[in-house]
Amino acid sequence: MPPHKNEETVARSFQDIQNAIKYSIHKLIIDCKNYDAGDLYALYGDSSILRNLFYNSRGNRPLIQLAQAHKSIRMFSYTNYKNREVDYGATSIARIPDALNNNHYIMTYLFDPKLVERPHKLPLSKWWESPIFKFGNTIINRRVLVKIDANQNGGAHFDPDIDSNYYYLLNGQTGIEMLVNIFNYQTIFGGDKSLIGKKLRPSNLPGALLREVIHETILSFTNYFDFITETYNPNFEYNFLNNTMGFRGNFHLVKDR
């Protein structure tokens, strides 16, 4: 927020800017460790950190620009869109225990870097504006994802009204639907007979996409900035090992030519 007219201010040092970046990456690494250990709520609020790092708005410059790195840094990307009508990016569906509700499970999406043979590097501006999800005419890039999550979904503010496309992805109203029956309840849904006859939709795709953006950010920043020396050891397999579903699936549709 820009200072009010009569407020006295003092210029930040370059060391202050570096420290802010270092503390931001430190917080993201800690939250990712908890997320990768089964707490899918651990990234709540981290979109505000991403916004501070990258989002350029009137009167506020992002940390990456204040650090004079916005033109030279190259960002790792795990998304590579082709001619697809529906593309969930590098995400897979899983049904895992709910960290906040004992004996309950969450059917959700998880960032799955195994789906990408090798990440590629992009200039920051192209990376920031590149789509990471497509469903027909609904296209979400990293900038939009971070902006909506930070400004409307509780990252920095919680608005009573929220972008409809984002909300439908958050609650599974946009996406696939799976009918539980006597043939798949054991192999896919952990043998829970109470689910037979129900239609289930995976939820919180934005959470998986945020995990991707955070992963790309940590890798890119630790690779670029010498003053970030903290070790980052993601463990994407843990949540999949607790997956009660008999598969690990990614979804996309291609138009017939």
Side-chain angles (χ1 to χ4, degrees), residues 117-149:
E117 184 176 342
R118 180 184 300 173
H120 55 286
K121 288 186 177 183
L122 296 172
L124 175 63
S125 58
K126 187 172 183 180
W127 173 84
W128 188 232
E129 296 293 339
S130 294
I132 54 173
F133 169 81
K134 182 180 179 183
F135 194 98
N137 293 325
T138 300
I139 300 174
I140 295 179
N141 61 26
R142 292 174 179 85
R143 176 181 56 80
V144 170
L145 174 71
V146 170
K147 179 183 177 182
I148 294 174
D149 196 81

Side-chain angles (χ1 to χ4, degrees), residues 102-113:
N102 292 333
N103 301 318
H104 285 79
Y105 288 82
I106 304 172
M107 192 161 83
T108 188
Y109 299 91
L110 296 173
F111 172 50
D112 191 356

Side-chain angles (χ1 to χ4, degrees), residues 4 65 68 117 120 135 141 145 178 211 241 255:
H4 292 295
Q65 186 174 343
Q68 301 174 11
E117 184 176 342
H120 55 286
F135 194 98
N141 61 26
L145 174 71
M178 304 178 73
R211 181 66 183 92
L241 289 173
K255 250 187 179 180

